[in-house]
Amino acid sequence: MSTGRQALVVRDLRKRYPRVEALKGISLSVPTGEIWGLLGPNGSGKSTFLKCVAGLLRPDGGELEVLGAPPSRRTKEQLAYVPEVENLYRWMTVSQVLDFTAAFYPDWQGESALELLEFMRLEPNAKVTALSKGMRARLRLITALARRAPLILLDEPFSGIDPASRERIVEGIARQFKGEEQTMIISTHAVGDAERLFDAVVFLQEGTITLQGNAEDLRSRHGKSINDLFKEVFA
Amino acid sequence: MDMKFTTSIPIYLQIMDEIKRQIATGVLKPGDKLPSQRELAAQLKVNANTVQRAYREMEVLGLVETLRGQGTFVRRSQAIVEETRRELLSRLVDDFACAMRSLGFDRGEALELVRSAFERIEAGEGVEEQ
């Protein structure tokens, strides 16, 4: 649980694209050691938000403090970001993908990677081209979970994959989450059974936060699951 | 531990209830060790912080105790077992009474139904014994 430090502090974050205002002043504070769900339909600003935190997009306004500092080369090294779009080289094998990732990050845990490979039921010698979409999603997740990164950002890790892969991914995250020293932010537009992973959730709608709170508090206050609450808010 | 959750109720409360049920029915005995928080979180596919909260609340209630570096144990106290049994029992009875009232049965009718259910079970027919 929270140790009092904040992994992420965001104040009045704004980002505008030529034709749309993607983030209209987002403020939130994520304590170290928690898993947060960033929930909203497609186009609500989830990916833009995560890219700003990851240091891949420059915000137009507001302040960001990632692991205690403004986004920089150093904060980029410390965080693990898995984008929504597929970023694997398709000619590689599964183990080449892992070796390739390992070479970039000093915090890579080779042993965890092997355990995760087995848990995710991936064959090290399989070619990326031979993997199903769900298997590729599992592999992409390993590239983040096998690091000892203090901040992990997962953009739509469950989107468009088979239910079995989805379940493996939820369980994999529950297993690997290191608590205390680690913080995760997971975006999704399909809450489903992933809700049991979240300490807190943020509902994002057209670039604005419409609801935010501790997941268990929201359940007891509304007598509803986060999933049902989500469907109600975004119906 | 195998559990089905309903996600409309706080998960930590459901974890507490399941452990209480195990204590009340003797699956977990005084002095028994609970699974580690990490282990249980992986098993239930929940956030480890949720399990931590359930364990902490049970500690406050005096049901379990955590020994530094050894894990969490059911308190060595028969009184705890009795108390937990009584708590679960009174919850069951309350739920039953409320359900009967909402179905429009009065006290006499409800008691009669309980009596006949017991007779059926003891005669070994109908409802299967747990």
Side-chain angles (χ1 to χ4, degrees):
Chain A
M1 194 128 325
S2 156
T3 48
R5 289 171 300 143
Q6 307 294 317
L8 175 67
V9 180
V10 181
R11 290 185 209 95
D12 197 31
L13 190 72
R14 293 170 184 275
K15 177 69 193 176
R16 164 172 266 297
Y17 295 123
R19 282 165 53 196
V20 65
E21 206 178 345
L23 299 175
K24 301 172 183 165
I26 301 287
S27 298
L28 54 85
S29 193
V30 181
T32 300
E34 297 196 352
I35 303 182
W36 278 44
L38 185 59
L39 317 177
N42 291 325
S44 54
K46 306 187 298 292
S47 296
T48 301
F49 178 80
L50 290 180
K51 280 180 191 159
C52 288
V53 176
L56 301 172
L57 271 181
R58 192 185 293 274
D60 296 322
E63 282 172 63
L64 265 174
E65 230 173 76
V66 182
L67 301 166
S72 67
R73 226 190 126 110
R74 200 182 62 84
T75 64
K76 270 199 224 180
E77 275 168 15
Q78 284 181 293
L79 60 85
Y81 165 66
V82 180
E84 188 181 4
V85 292
E86 297 224 18
N87 54 348
L88 300 172
Y89 289 111
R90 302 187 68 106
W91 50 267
M92 286 186 176
T93 64
V94 166
S95 61
Q96 280 170 335
V97 168
L98 298 182
D99 291 345
F100 179 74
T101 314
F104 279 97
Y105 300 104
D107 61 1
W108 185 259
Q109 312 285 306
E111 224 164 279
S112 301
L114 291 179
E115 274 172 38
L116 278 161
L117 216 51
E118 200 179 320
F119 174 76
M120 294 292 182
R121 305 204 175 130
L122 291 170
E123 180 55 51
N125 297 321
K127 276 244 159 65
V128 169
T129 42
L131 302 179
S132 70
K133 190 164 186 210
M135 288 162 111
R136 293 199 302 272
R138 287 187 244 167
L139 178 56
R140 278 157 22 91
L141 186 74
I142 297 176
T143 63
L145 293 186
R147 288 181 51 195
R148 230 184 160 74
L151 180 59
I152 295 185
L153 310 174
L154 306 175
D155 197 3
E156 295 280 3
F158 317 112
S159 126
I161 58 173
D162 57 292
S165 285
R166 191 188 156 95
E167 206 171 300
R168 283 265 131 187
I169 286 177
V170 171
E171 192 177 345
I173 294 171
R175 246 168 214 282
Q176 280 298 311
F177 177 58
K178 292 171 185 74
E180 289 170 13
E181 52 189 281
Q182 198 166 59
T183 307
M184 277 194 206
I185 304 176
I186 304 173
S187 85
T188 180
H189 69 275
V191 182
D193 59 355
E195 72 166 75
R196 50 170 72 189
L197 292 175
F198 303 139
D199 285 297
V201 293
V202 175
F203 285 20
L204 207 57
Q205 193 165 24
E206 290 173 8
T208 310
I209 294 176
T210 50
L211 180 70
Q212 113 167 251
N214 174 281
E216 300 278 52
D217 291 350
L218 288 172
R219 287 183 190 108
S220 62
R221 194 170 341 133
H222 297 273
K224 282 193 180 86
S225 67
I226 302 299
N227 194 29
D228 288 339
L229 212 53
F230 180 80
K231 285 182 191 155
E232 200 178 276
V233 171
F234 295 108
Chain B
M1 198 175 308
D2 195 26
M3 284 183 66
K4 285 262 174 289
F5 291 117
T6 142
T7 39
S8 54
I9 300 171
I11 294 170
Y12 80 96
L13 290 176
Q14 298 178 66
I15 296 173
M16 286 172 68
D17 277 353
E18 174 59 22
I19 290 168
K20 281 185 192 170
R21 198 189 58 77
Q22 294 192 3
I23 293 173
T25 55
V27 176
L28 278 172
K29 295 184 178 61
D32 278 358
K33 190 177 177 191
L34 266 54
S36 79
Q37 295 179 11
R38 189 61 66 77
E39 216 177 296
L40 191 57
Q43 233 174 74
L44 303 177
K45 297 178 204 167
V46 301
N47 184 326
N49 293 331
T50 309
V51 178
Q52 188 186 51
R53 181 160 176 192
Y55 279 24
R56 208 175 42 212
E57 300 270 342
M58 288 191 298
E59 229 176 281
V60 172
L61 293 175
L63 286 174
V64 302
E65 58 191 338
T66 299
L67 303 177
R68 200 170 267 276
Q70 293 179 56
T72 304
F73 300 83
V74 179
R75 284 242 331 258
R76 286 185 187 279
S77 145
Q78 203 49 46
I80 288 292
V81 178
E82 267 319 304
E83 213 174 286
T84 310
R85 277 171 61 97
R86 268 200 299 276
E87 185 201 328
L88 293 190
L89 193 72
S90 71
R91 242 197 278 169
L92 277 176
V93 174
D94 287 355
D95 287 350
F96 174 76
C98 286
M100 291 316 270
R101 275 178 62 113
S102 72
L103 287 170
F105 290 95
D106 66 23
R107 185 185 310 203
E109 289 168 310
L111 287 175
E112 193 42 54
L113 280 166
V114 172
R115 196 170 295 128
S116 64
F118 263 94
E119 277 163 12
R120 245 189 356 259
I121 291 164
E122 280 158 8
E125 49 169 293
V127 193
E128 214 171 296
E129 215 169 325
Q130 285 278 330

